[in-house]
Amino acid sequence: MKIYTLVINRLMPVLGLILLAFLVFVQVSCTKSPKETASTDVSSTMDIPPLFERRGELASAVEWQRTKEKVADLNGKIRKEPNDVKPRLQIAVIYLSEARITGEHPYYYPAILKILDGVLAMDPKNFEATTFNASVKMSQHQFAEARELAEKARQINPNNAYVYGVLVDANVELGNYEEAVAMSDKMQALKPSLESYSRASYLREIYGSYPSSIEAMKLAVQAGLPGSEPQCWSKNILGHLYETTGQLDNAEKQYDGILVMRPSYAFALAGKARILKARKEYPLALATLEKAAKIMPEFSFHEQMAEIYALQGDQEKAKKKYVEVAKMLDEDARSGHAVDLELCKLYTKSGQLDSAKKYGLIEYRKRPKNIDVNHALAWVYFNQHDLKNAQQHMQIALRTGSKDPELLQEAGAIELALGNAGQRDKLVATARKTNPKFTL
Amino acid sequence: MLLTIGGYASSHREAPLISNDPLADNTDVYAFKSPDDPNTITIIANYIPFQLPDGGPNYYTFGERIRYEIHIKNKANTATDDITYRFTFFRNNEDPSTFFNIRLGKQNLKTTFVCEKSVNGGPFMAIVSNGVVPAYNIGPRSIDTPGLGLGKSYNELIEQSIATASSGEKVFCGPADDPFFVDLAGAFDVGNFRPDGNPVNAPKDGLARYNVHSIALKIPVSLLQKDGKSVSQATTILDPDFVIGVWASASRQKIKTLYNGGDVGFDGEYVQVSRLGMPLTNEAVIPIGMKDKWNTLTPYGGNDLQFAQYFTNPELALYMDDSQFGGAVPSLKALRIQSKSLGSFDFRNGKPGLFGLKGNAALDGTALAEAAFGKVLLPDNASPRAVDLLPIFYTGVPNLKPYQLATGKAGNPLAAGKPFIHNFLPTLGDMLRLNMAVPATPRNDPNFSSLGLVKAAVLGLTDATYANPNLQFIPNMDGFPNGRRLEDDVTTIELQAVGGVVLAAIGLWYDDFVPGQSPVTANLGNVLKFSAGVTKNDTTLKTSFPYVQTPWRGLNYTKVTKF
């Protein structure tokens, strides 16, 4: 007899909770009651790592109290029924959400993997555990593994939209864009939602259509519950798209809108800081980034600070900050997070080109078809005056027809260095269509 | 200008994977004879669960670009909806300069709607084109105060927003108290429901003080009945021509990932993202991996047959069966499924149930005969609940032998007994089915009960007023699963039904029945006394349309312990 699991997040329709408690995991061949088979000698993979206590601004977010209560409830269930996989999966879902909200990835991802290992030890073909495993691998930038796990999950159950989301993401990161588009269309057919609209938006951006990318992300925002983390995420990306296309006022509106609903949404503060930086209001931009960095340990906030120090002419301070960021990334790497591309970009900014190349190549070997990886590597080679390699990687980076102004401007710089002024003019003109204000 | 558009965390944008879609989340559907008007049926579909009354600054409201639909069937021989009501909502910010929801009489997220109706597959025609959704009930300054707020009492806002459709229905769309009730904490604690009335650890309504958004319709029976008949034309209170099936849904439009355009790129197709007919089916019966698929399907065209196995051998029954996991959930110990009813019939999962009678002449003239519905009701020797749970969820129950009360059967469950239900509309799909000819039970009737049809069965079996084999109105015949009233305790009723209470009602008694003695045995008594804890809503209901209570007010609602 197969028993199915119910995965519930904080907003699950309440009716589902009623019977949730009755559904105890039973092996196909099981003939004893779960109580009779429950092991009293719980092994370490069966232990549930505790919630990471939120601090400061994040602790005042509306859902935190309920999250704590729910995790306590679920732990109570696990103590009573150690062999029941459902409460374990529910805690995994909550931890996935907490990882997003708090940015405490080094704590949460290993914790989630441990919980999922416990579930898979009991039920090796558990669909949810396999899918969540794929999600965590995505978050840790283990893209090939994520894709493999998601495909495995899809074999178990081809009718679930979530798994197609992971497949879109993994294929994008691996540079399998055509497959990502196919998976995105399947996801749409199963469940149009914030999750599927936002993925379509990203693919449209990759394929060079900012207007339709923006429209799809507006749909994602509209589909979200006001003030929820997923909706704030979507608004934040919409802000990004506005920034990329030079619409700073629209971008700022998005960031301000998020902060009214969710003052602890640090990425919106970072967005505000970018707008301030663009307006050359450096002290205020830095103060805003400090505020964001207090909320969540996100390396990119510190990277932004370093850029501003450099713009202020304080190269020494910028350099120190870059070193600090590299340390943060190293810490992330120790928790299983692959950060080679981030390090490549970081070392490019700080002028440490040999290190940049080293990390860029590590990433390139893992995913040679990804346009972002090739873009980063092309720029490293350009800065090292290795124009042949720069052009080769840039051609791969341009293969989807991306209209990203930074990408096109850099491609133009490479072409100019190669003596192809006409080609450079074309690229720059296209870049300016996307964002007339952007210059390298 | 240097403006680096770098990713944060970098090389990939981590889009959310798990967020339910609360704006399109259909939580409950109700369909009942209006208690204050025998000529109308009220249908209510609720969406957007768990709304805190003080959930500002962006208060909840219906989503845009979502099709909210109420689907009605009144014929079993048509392929799709016989009537569809479609609601589309639009939001407008009257004062974008403020982040307040309401200020100086101006309202942001002001929501209006269009209601369209399609009959017999015909084109959708607007029947309400300028509907208004009341603002969220924020507090006295926002709502009542002239000049500063909207200058009206909240109940005035509700009254003014009740529209009369051009085709005759009354329509209300707006926030309301969530009428559903359940002991969530008990459910969380491994089914540790706390019995109603116990002084030591009282059950607590986990949905207390939450609001939902309701779409409510008060519809003349003549608009719903397949031939346009009114209630007065019904031949009996169980007239088979007066059955409707109701379900609700929400759909979002899909977009094509890549296309040659600068806008959204809808490809015209709406995808259903949630549906609800019978309570608890989707949440507790359909496995998680099948939920997305379940949500995309209509209950027509045999779509739901793939899920029938979850009714014919319901998982929950394992916890009401001592040979399986009967000890795992102590609070269900009162529910023990018949394993040797009348000495021989075993209805536990995987057992034959009544299959041993298949083809037997004793079934002639009953719904179980092969010439009638035997193929569905007695499919094989290991689907025991195809005889009771499956029809409740998939076809409705016919007023045919053996689906009559044991009263008058003289000990033979296959004989004719006292009629108590006919909501038969055999479409083989999940819908809430209601016989509109059944009168409403007055809410002040001393026999009015949240146990719905179970209570009607008890009265029909044990109360001298009704203990005769004739068709007569028994209080609560208008209750779940004959439709669903706002007061009905569907959690308890469904758990009792899985526990075999319907089988007992038609004369397939519990194991402790001794022939010649009262069939109301200790086991049956335990089942009837069982409750899932909270048995009523945390506030009253309105006595007139839309019946759901005014939403809790954000500023000063009284808080209660939910756990």
Side-chain angles (χ1 to χ4, degrees):
Chain A
M1 173 77 206
K2 184 165 167 43
I3 290 285
Y4 299 90
T5 55
L6 284 166
V7 175
I8 295 182
N9 75 358
R10 284 191 299 280
L11 283 164
M12 166 153 191
V14 72
L15 283 168
L17 304 179
I18 300 165
L19 302 179
L20 173 76
F22 305 152
L23 304 178
V24 178
F25 177 74
V26 183
Q27 292 282 24
V28 173
S29 58
C30 183
T31 54
K32 291 180 179 174
S33 86
K35 280 215 161 155
E36 289 172 290
T37 55
S39 163
T40 49
D41 176 25
V42 179
S43 72
S44 64
T45 54
M46 304 298 274
D47 291 344
I48 300 291
L51 258 176
F52 189 97
E53 194 66 30
R54 289 194 200 177
R55 289 182 298 257
E57 191 83 50
L58 286 170
S60 62
V62 63
E63 71 279 348
W64 176 231
Q65 194 53 35
R66 248 194 298 178
T67 302
K68 286 195 290 187
E69 284 168 7
K70 187 153 182 183
V71 170
D73 274 338
L74 292 166
N75 274 311
K77 283 184 76 175
I78 291 165
R79 276 192 296 278
K80 285 188 180 177
E81 299 287 348
N83 283 13
D84 188 350
V85 299
K86 286 174 300 303
R88 295 173 185 275
L89 288 166
Q90 286 159 42
I91 289 184
V93 171
I94 290 169
Y95 283 15
L96 282 164
S97 168
E98 282 296 298
R100 287 182 66 85
I101 291 168
T102 64
E104 298 291 350
H105 306 155
Y107 175 80
Y108 273 116
Y109 293 142
I112 295 162
L113 290 174
K114 185 180 175 186
I115 294 168
L116 297 176
D117 284 347
V119 172
L120 290 164
M122 290 189 273
D123 180 12
K125 282 202 158 182
N126 186 284
F127 168 73
E128 294 92 317
T130 309
T131 310
F132 298 157
N133 225 336
S135 285
V136 174
K137 293 296 175 193
M138 271 309 297
S139 300
Q140 294 187 312
H141 297 190
Q142 312 282 0
F143 303 120
E145 207 177 336
R147 180 170 174 263
E148 199 179 316
L149 282 163
E151 278 295 352
K152 192 174 162 188
R154 186 160 72 130
Q155 298 300 317
I156 299 169
N157 178 9
N159 295 310
N160 180 278
Y162 182 130
V163 79
Y164 289 95
V166 183
L167 285 166
V168 172
D169 298 349
N171 282 302
V172 162
E173 297 309 327
L174 292 167
N176 306 327
Y177 299 106
E178 295 80 3
E179 195 175 342
V181 170
M183 293 297 124
S184 169
D185 282 336
K186 283 194 169 166
M187 192 180 186
Q188 290 287 338
L190 269 171
K191 194 175 182 180
S193 63
L194 178 149
E195 290 83 354
S196 54
Y197 292 145
S198 60
R199 283 176 172 79
S201 166
Y202 191 26
L203 283 161
R204 290 172 176 192
E205 186 184 354
I206 286 166
Y207 276 92
S209 175
Y210 277 102
S212 69
S213 173
I214 285 171
E215 290 305 317
M217 196 52 80
K218 280 185 189 169
L219 280 185
V221 170
Q222 206 173 52
L225 186 72
S228 64
E229 188 273 340
Q231 199 218 23
C232 291
W233 180 90
S234 305
K235 276 180 85 71
N236 198 55
I237 295 289
L238 182 58
H240 255 278
L241 290 166
Y242 283 135
E243 274 186 65
T244 307
T245 51
Q247 304 172 67
L248 296 192
D249 289 351
N250 279 338
E252 191 172 29
K253 271 183 203 156
Q254 295 304 319
Y255 302 138
D256 285 339
I258 293 168
L259 292 167
V260 166
M261 293 186 294
R262 201 176 181 91
S264 64
Y265 199 74
F267 290 116
L269 288 167
K272 285 279 290 184
R274 279 194 305 277
I275 305 286
L276 292 164
K277 184 178 84 171
R279 292 181 187 145
K280 298 192 167 49
E281 296 180 46
Y282 299 137
L284 195 49
L286 286 168
T288 308
L289 285 166
E290 292 288 355
K291 199 172 166 188
K294 274 201 184 90
I295 294 171
M296 116 191 289
E298 166 63 33
F299 80 93
S300 64
F301 302 161
H302 297 269
E303 198 174 17
Q304 273 178 252
M305 289 179 206
E307 287 164 18
I308 294 171
Y309 297 146
L311 287 169
Q312 288 176 319
D314 193 340
Q315 300 303 337
E316 197 51 40
K317 205 172 179 185
K319 203 171 162 184
K320 270 190 186 164
K321 197 44 132 170
Y322 281 129
V323 170
E324 202 183 307
V325 174
K327 274 186 187 161
M328 290 175 85
L329 286 169
D330 284 341
E331 189 201 337
D332 234 2
R334 282 196 298 278
S335 76
H337 197 175
V339 290
D340 301 301
L341 180 61
E342 288 72 18
L343 285 165
C344 168
K345 290 179 178 178
L346 180 75
Y347 287 126
T348 307
K349 277 179 198 161
S350 62
Q352 297 160 275
L353 296 175
D354 288 345
S355 296
K357 182 175 161 184
K358 179 182 123 183
Y359 286 106
L361 285 170
I362 291 172
E363 195 68 33
Y364 175 75
R365 280 192 278 273
K366 282 191 282 190
R367 38 192 190 126
K369 294 188 290 182
N370 178 280
I371 60 172
D372 196 28
V373 174
N374 280 282
H375 173 190
L377 207 44
W379 199 237
V380 175
Y381 281 123
F382 171 79
N383 282 294
Q384 291 183 317
H385 311 294
D386 179 347
L387 297 181
K388 185 167 166 280
N389 271 316
Q391 189 185 36
Q392 266 180 2
H393 284 288
M394 190 50 89
Q395 276 168 354
I396 299 172
L398 292 169
R399 72 193 174 95
T400 60
S402 170
K403 303 287 185 298
D404 177 66
E406 185 183 37
L407 174 73
L408 295 169
Q409 291 270 14
E410 289 178 1
I414 292 167
E415 290 300 329
L416 187 64
L418 286 161
N420 306 326
Q423 187 59 20
R424 178 254 184 192
D425 289 347
K426 270 188 209 164
L427 286 160
V428 170
T430 310
R432 286 191 177 143
K433 269 189 205 160
T434 300
N435 183 351
K437 300 171 198 164
F438 184 88
T439 52
L440 278 179
Chain B
M1 179 187 88
L2 179 62
L3 180 63
T4 303
I5 314 293
Y8 31 76
S10 73
S11 70
H12 91 284
R13 305 195 304 190
E14 226 176 319
L17 274 161
I18 313 165
S19 67
N20 285 335
D21 189 351
L23 299 180
D25 187 353
N26 183 195
T27 61
D28 284 285
V29 175
Y30 302 85
F32 53 92
K33 174 63 62 80
S34 309
D36 57 348
D37 182 357
N39 298 308
T40 64
I41 298 297
T42 295
I43 297 174
I44 298 173
N46 286 340
Y47 294 86
I48 322 175
F50 287 116
Q51 296 178 25
L52 287 165
D54 48 345
N58 254 16
Y59 290 94
Y60 311 88
T61 188
F62 292 103
E64 291 182 290
R65 296 186 186 275
I66 300 173
R67 275 184 184 166
Y68 296 92
E69 291 180 324
I70 290 173
H71 311 264
I72 293 155
K73 277 216 70 62
N74 53 26
K75 305 176 194 75
N77 60 354
T78 49
T80 56
D81 287 356
D82 297 313
I83 305 169
T84 314
Y85 291 95
R86 176 179 294 167
F87 294 82
T88 311
F89 293 88
F90 307 89
R91 297 176 185 182
N92 178 42
N93 292 331
E94 292 183 326
D95 182 4
S97 70
T98 178
F99 284 116
F100 286 111
N101 188 247
I102 295 169
R103 191 182 69 166
L104 303 175
K106 296 268 198 318
Q107 190 187 335
N108 286 333
L109 289 181
K110 186 169 186 171
T111 307
T112 55
F113 69 90
V114 170
C115 173
E116 298 165 288
K117 181 180 179 183
S118 160
V119 181
N120 296 327
F124 277 89
M125 311 292 282
I127 58 168
V128 176
S129 48
N130 53 355
V132 174
V133 176
Y136 209 63
N137 192 359
I138 300 166
R141 282 165 61 83
S142 301
I143 302 298
D144 309 68
T145 310
L148 178 65
L150 299 177
K152 290 172 183 160
S153 77
Y154 198 83
N155 278 327
E156 272 181 280
L157 291 181
I158 292 176
E159 285 305 315
Q160 288 170 7
S161 66
I162 295 172
T164 300
S166 56
S167 41
E169 302 87 343
K170 275 190 171 178
V171 182
F172 168 79
C173 297
D177 157 67
D178 188 339
F180 192 56
F181 44 90
V182 61
D183 183 358
L184 276 185
F188 269 136
D189 190 23
V190 197
N192 187 13
F193 284 119
R194 297 168 282 199
D196 191 26
N198 85 83
V200 181
N201 186 4
K204 292 166 187 68
D205 180 1
L207 287 182
R209 308 305 192 264
Y210 281 127
N211 294 329
V212 289
H213 268 65
S214 292
I215 293 178
L217 289 159
K218 192 175 190 182
I219 311 169
V221 169
S222 58
L223 292 182
L224 294 170
Q225 202 276 340
K226 63 189 175 78
D227 305 311
K229 290 179 182 171
S230 59
V231 178
S232 58
Q233 294 172 277
T235 52
T236 70
I237 60 167
L238 292 181
D239 187 329
D241 288 340
F242 278 73
V243 177
I244 54 167
V246 180
W247 59 285
S249 68
S251 305
R252 288 190 180 276
Q253 205 166 8
K254 68 177 191 181
I255 61 177
K256 188 154 180 54
T257 303
L258 298 185
Y259 82 112
N260 298 320
D263 57 4
V264 172
F266 287 123
D267 66 3
E269 200 177 315
Y270 271 81
V271 177
Q272 198 175 280
V273 294
S274 82
R275 71 153 152 153
L276 202 139
M278 287 288 279
L280 301 182
T281 301
N282 190 15
E283 292 80 3
V285 179
I286 303 302
I288 181 73
M290 299 295 275
K291 279 185 191 301
D292 286 350
K293 187 172 189 186
W294 161 272
N295 279 323
T296 61
L297 297 171
T298 71
Y300 306 141
N303 289 340
D304 277 353
L305 289 173
Q306 64 191 298
F307 307 107
Q309 60 185 304
Y310 308 120
F311 297 96
T312 57
N313 281 292
E315 290 170 19
L316 269 175
L318 296 171
Y319 307 96
M320 304 173 188
D321 172 358
D322 286 330
S323 70
Q324 296 284 336
F325 313 120
V329 186
S331 69
L332 295 182
K333 68 177 184 294
L335 305 174
R336 286 296 171 269
I337 293 162
Q338 294 90 327
S339 66
K340 49 179 192 304
S341 180
L342 304 181
S344 60
F345 299 112
D346 190 343
F347 293 96
R348 295 173 302 171
N349 278 13
K351 304 298 183 189
L354 292 179
F355 188 77
L357 298 174
K358 195 172 177 76
N360 191 311
L363 297 182
D364 291 352
T366 75
L368 308 179
E370 212 56 15
F373 306 102
K375 284 189 181 64
V376 175
L377 301 169
L378 299 174
D380 54 51
N381 69 349
S383 303
R385 312 309 296 277
V387 82
D388 63 333
L389 297 181
L390 191 67
I392 289 170
F393 283 82
Y394 271 36
T395 61
V397 183
N399 178 24
L400 290 171
K401 296 183 290 184
Y403 298 109
Q404 291 159 338
L405 292 177
T407 304
K409 287 187 174 183
N412 174 11
L414 299 174
K418 187 178 182 69
F420 76 123
I421 183 170
H422 181 98
N423 62 351
F424 188 60
L425 195 67
T427 55
L428 293 176
D430 181 279
M431 293 192 293
L432 185 62
R433 290 168 169 85
L434 169 70
N435 190 316
M436 303 183 291
V438 179
T441 308
R443 298 320 192 243
N444 58 0
D445 185 317
N447 277 317
F448 181 85
S449 166
S450 64
L451 286 180
L453 204 65
V454 171
K455 178 68 175 179
V458 170
L459 292 170
L461 291 167
T462 62
D463 188 305
T465 311
Y466 311 105
N468 62 70
N470 307 322
L471 171 59
Q472 67 182 131
F473 174 69
I474 312 171
N476 305 298
M477 274 170 84
D478 58 322
F480 182 77
N482 178 34
R484 179 184 175 187
R485 303 172 300 187
L486 291 165
E487 299 89 342
D488 286 336
D489 180 1
V490 295
T491 312
T492 296
I493 296 169
E494 286 196 4
L495 286 167
Q496 289 174 329
V498 176
V501 77
V502 177
L503 297 168
I506 64 173
L508 290 156
W509 305 114
Y510 282 95
D511 292 0
D512 58 344
F513 168 65
V514 177
Q517 294 184 17
S518 168
V520 186
T521 59
N523 282 9
L524 177 56
N526 288 340
V527 172
L528 294 173
K529 282 200 292 271
F530 169 85
S531 92
V534 182
T535 55
K536 61 179 191 295
N537 189 27
D538 61 317
T539 182
T540 55
L541 296 165
K542 291 187 170 176
T543 53
S544 59
F545 185 78
Y547 308 107
V548 284
Q549 193 49 275
T550 303
W552 299 97
R553 173 160 275 192
L555 183 83
N556 54 5
Y557 70 104
T558 51
K559 300 213 168 40
V560 292
T561 306
K562 294 177 191 171
F563 296 103

